[in-house]
Short mmCIF file of all heavy atoms in Angstrom, two decimals:
data_model
loop_
_atom_site.label_atom_id
_atom_site.label_comp_id
_atom_site.label_asym_id
_atom_site.label_seq_id
_atom_site.Cartn_x
_atom_site.Cartn_y
_atom_site.Cartn_z
N ARG A 317 51.64 21.85 -21.37
CA ARG A 317 51.44 20.81 -20.36
C ARG A 317 50.85 21.43 -19.11
O ARG A 317 51.10 22.61 -18.81
CB ARG A 317 52.75 20.08 -20.03
CG ARG A 317 53.33 19.33 -21.22
CD ARG A 317 54.51 18.45 -20.84
NE ARG A 317 54.12 17.29 -20.05
CZ ARG A 317 53.56 16.19 -20.56
NH1 ARG A 317 53.29 16.11 -21.85
NH2 ARG A 317 53.27 15.16 -19.79
N ILE A 318 50.08 20.63 -18.36
CA ILE A 318 49.38 21.10 -17.18
C ILE A 318 49.70 20.17 -16.01
O ILE A 318 49.58 18.94 -16.13
CB ILE A 318 47.86 21.13 -17.41
CG1 ILE A 318 47.53 22.04 -18.60
CG2 ILE A 318 47.13 21.60 -16.16
CD1 ILE A 318 46.19 21.77 -19.22
N HIS A 319 50.13 20.75 -14.92
CA HIS A 319 50.44 19.98 -13.72
C HIS A 319 49.26 19.99 -12.75
O HIS A 319 48.56 21.00 -12.61
CB HIS A 319 51.67 20.55 -13.02
CG HIS A 319 52.91 20.55 -13.86
ND1 HIS A 319 53.44 19.41 -14.39
CD2 HIS A 319 53.71 21.57 -14.26
CE1 HIS A 319 54.52 19.70 -15.08
NE2 HIS A 319 54.71 21.00 -15.03
N VAL A 320 49.05 18.89 -12.08
CA VAL A 320 48.01 18.75 -11.06
C VAL A 320 48.70 18.43 -9.75
O VAL A 320 49.59 17.56 -9.70
CB VAL A 320 47.03 17.61 -11.41
CG1 VAL A 320 45.93 17.52 -10.37
CG2 VAL A 320 46.47 17.80 -12.81
N GLY A 321 48.35 19.14 -8.69
CA GLY A 321 49.06 18.88 -7.44
C GLY A 321 48.36 19.35 -6.20
O GLY A 321 47.28 19.95 -6.23
N LEU A 322 49.00 19.08 -5.09
CA LEU A 322 48.56 19.50 -3.76
C LEU A 322 49.65 20.38 -3.18
O LEU A 322 50.83 20.03 -3.21
CB LEU A 322 48.34 18.29 -2.86
CG LEU A 322 48.10 18.57 -1.37
CD1 LEU A 322 46.68 19.09 -1.17
CD2 LEU A 322 48.32 17.32 -0.53
N VAL A 323 49.26 21.53 -2.67
CA VAL A 323 50.20 22.45 -2.04
C VAL A 323 49.84 22.57 -0.56
O VAL A 323 48.69 22.91 -0.23
CB VAL A 323 50.18 23.84 -2.70
CG1 VAL A 323 51.14 24.79 -2.00
CG2 VAL A 323 50.52 23.72 -4.19
N ALA A 324 50.79 22.27 0.31
CA ALA A 324 50.60 22.41 1.75
C ALA A 324 51.47 23.56 2.24
O ALA A 324 52.68 23.62 1.94
CB ALA A 324 50.97 21.12 2.47
N LEU A 325 50.87 24.49 2.98
CA LEU A 325 51.57 25.66 3.49
C LEU A 325 51.66 25.61 5.00
O LEU A 325 50.74 25.13 5.68
CB LEU A 325 50.83 26.94 3.09
CG LEU A 325 50.61 27.22 1.60
CD1 LEU A 325 49.73 28.45 1.44
CD2 LEU A 325 51.93 27.41 0.89
N GLY A 326 52.75 26.13 5.52
CA GLY A 326 52.91 26.28 6.95
C GLY A 326 53.36 27.69 7.27
O GLY A 326 54.29 28.21 6.64
N ARG A 327 52.68 28.33 8.22
CA ARG A 327 53.12 29.66 8.66
C ARG A 327 53.88 29.53 9.97
O ARG A 327 53.28 29.34 11.03
CB ARG A 327 51.93 30.60 8.83
CG ARG A 327 52.35 32.01 9.23
CD ARG A 327 51.21 32.99 9.21
NE ARG A 327 51.68 34.33 9.46
CZ ARG A 327 50.92 35.42 9.37
NH1 ARG A 327 49.64 35.29 9.04
NH2 ARG A 327 51.42 36.61 9.60
N PRO A 328 55.20 29.62 9.90
CA PRO A 328 56.00 29.42 11.12
C PRO A 328 55.98 30.67 12.00
O PRO A 328 55.67 31.77 11.53
CB PRO A 328 57.41 29.17 10.56
CG PRO A 328 57.43 29.93 9.28
CD PRO A 328 56.03 29.86 8.72
N PRO A 329 56.35 30.52 13.27
CA PRO A 329 56.52 31.71 14.11
C PRO A 329 57.60 32.60 13.53
O PRO A 329 58.53 32.13 12.87
CB PRO A 329 56.94 31.12 15.47
CG PRO A 329 56.48 29.70 15.43
CD PRO A 329 56.57 29.28 14.00
N VAL A 330 57.46 33.89 13.75
CA VAL A 330 58.45 34.82 13.23
C VAL A 330 59.77 34.61 13.94
O VAL A 330 59.86 34.67 15.16
CB VAL A 330 57.97 36.28 13.41
CG1 VAL A 330 59.04 37.26 12.94
CG2 VAL A 330 56.66 36.50 12.67
N GLN A 331 60.82 34.33 13.15
CA GLN A 331 62.16 34.11 13.70
C GLN A 331 63.17 34.81 12.80
O GLN A 331 63.18 34.61 11.58
CB GLN A 331 62.49 32.62 13.77
CG GLN A 331 61.59 31.82 14.69
CD GLN A 331 61.92 30.34 14.66
OE1 GLN A 331 62.88 29.91 14.02
NE2 GLN A 331 61.12 29.55 15.35
N MET A 332 64.01 35.61 13.39
CA MET A 332 65.04 36.32 12.63
C MET A 332 66.03 35.32 12.06
O MET A 332 66.50 34.40 12.74
CB MET A 332 65.76 37.32 13.53
CG MET A 332 64.86 38.43 14.04
SD MET A 332 64.18 39.45 12.69
CE MET A 332 65.70 40.19 12.09
N GLY A 333 66.34 35.48 10.79
CA GLY A 333 67.36 34.64 10.18
C GLY A 333 66.92 33.25 9.81
O GLY A 333 67.72 32.43 9.36
N ARG A 334 65.65 32.95 9.98
CA ARG A 334 65.16 31.61 9.67
C ARG A 334 65.09 31.41 8.16
O ARG A 334 64.62 32.26 7.43
CB ARG A 334 63.78 31.41 10.29
CG ARG A 334 63.21 30.02 10.08
CD ARG A 334 61.78 29.96 10.60
NE ARG A 334 61.21 28.64 10.42
CZ ARG A 334 60.69 28.19 9.28
NH1 ARG A 334 60.71 28.98 8.22
NH2 ARG A 334 60.20 26.99 9.19
N ARG A 335 65.53 30.24 7.68
CA ARG A 335 65.48 29.95 6.26
C ARG A 335 64.16 29.31 5.88
O ARG A 335 63.60 28.49 6.62
CB ARG A 335 66.63 29.01 5.86
CG ARG A 335 68.01 29.62 6.02
CD ARG A 335 69.06 28.69 5.49
NE ARG A 335 68.89 28.45 4.07
CZ ARG A 335 69.65 27.62 3.36
NH1 ARG A 335 70.61 26.92 3.96
NH2 ARG A 335 69.43 27.46 2.06
N ARG A 336 63.65 29.67 4.74
CA ARG A 336 62.40 29.13 4.22
C ARG A 336 62.59 27.66 3.83
O ARG A 336 63.62 27.26 3.30
CB ARG A 336 61.99 29.94 2.99
CG ARG A 336 60.81 29.38 2.23
CD ARG A 336 60.76 30.05 0.86
NE ARG A 336 59.52 29.78 0.17
CZ ARG A 336 59.29 30.15 -1.09
NH1 ARG A 336 60.21 30.80 -1.76
NH2 ARG A 336 58.15 29.89 -1.67
N ARG A 337 61.56 26.87 4.11
CA ARG A 337 61.54 25.47 3.68
C ARG A 337 60.61 25.33 2.48
O ARG A 337 59.46 25.76 2.53
CB ARG A 337 61.05 24.54 4.80
CG ARG A 337 61.88 24.58 6.07
CD ARG A 337 61.42 23.46 7.00
NE ARG A 337 62.11 23.52 8.27
CZ ARG A 337 61.58 24.02 9.39
NH1 ARG A 337 60.35 24.51 9.36
NH2 ARG A 337 62.26 24.03 10.51
N PHE A 338 61.11 24.72 1.43
CA PHE A 338 60.28 24.44 0.25
C PHE A 338 60.66 23.07 -0.28
O PHE A 338 61.81 22.83 -0.65
CB PHE A 338 60.47 25.50 -0.84
CG PHE A 338 59.53 25.33 -2.01
CD1 PHE A 338 58.32 26.00 -2.04
CD2 PHE A 338 59.86 24.50 -3.07
CE1 PHE A 338 57.44 25.84 -3.11
CE2 PHE A 338 58.99 24.34 -4.14
CZ PHE A 338 57.78 25.01 -4.16
N GLU A 339 59.70 22.16 -0.29
CA GLU A 339 59.94 20.78 -0.72
C GLU A 339 59.03 20.46 -1.89
O GLU A 339 57.81 20.69 -1.84
CB GLU A 339 59.65 19.82 0.43
CG GLU A 339 59.91 18.36 0.12
CD GLU A 339 61.36 17.96 0.30
OE1 GLU A 339 62.18 18.85 0.64
OE2 GLU A 339 61.67 16.76 0.13
N ALA A 340 59.62 19.95 -2.97
CA ALA A 340 58.85 19.52 -4.14
C ALA A 340 58.96 18.01 -4.27
O ALA A 340 60.07 17.47 -4.34
CB ALA A 340 59.39 20.21 -5.40
#
Side-chain angles (χ1 to χ4, degrees):
R317 297 188 70 77
I318 302 159
H319 300 301
V320 182
L322 171 76
V323 178
L325 301 174
R327 182 172 186 173
V330 177
Q331 297 177 5
M332 296 298 294
R334 183 186 180 279
R335 295 185 62 184
R336 172 195 192 186
R337 301 189 185 101
F338 186 92
E339 182 84 358

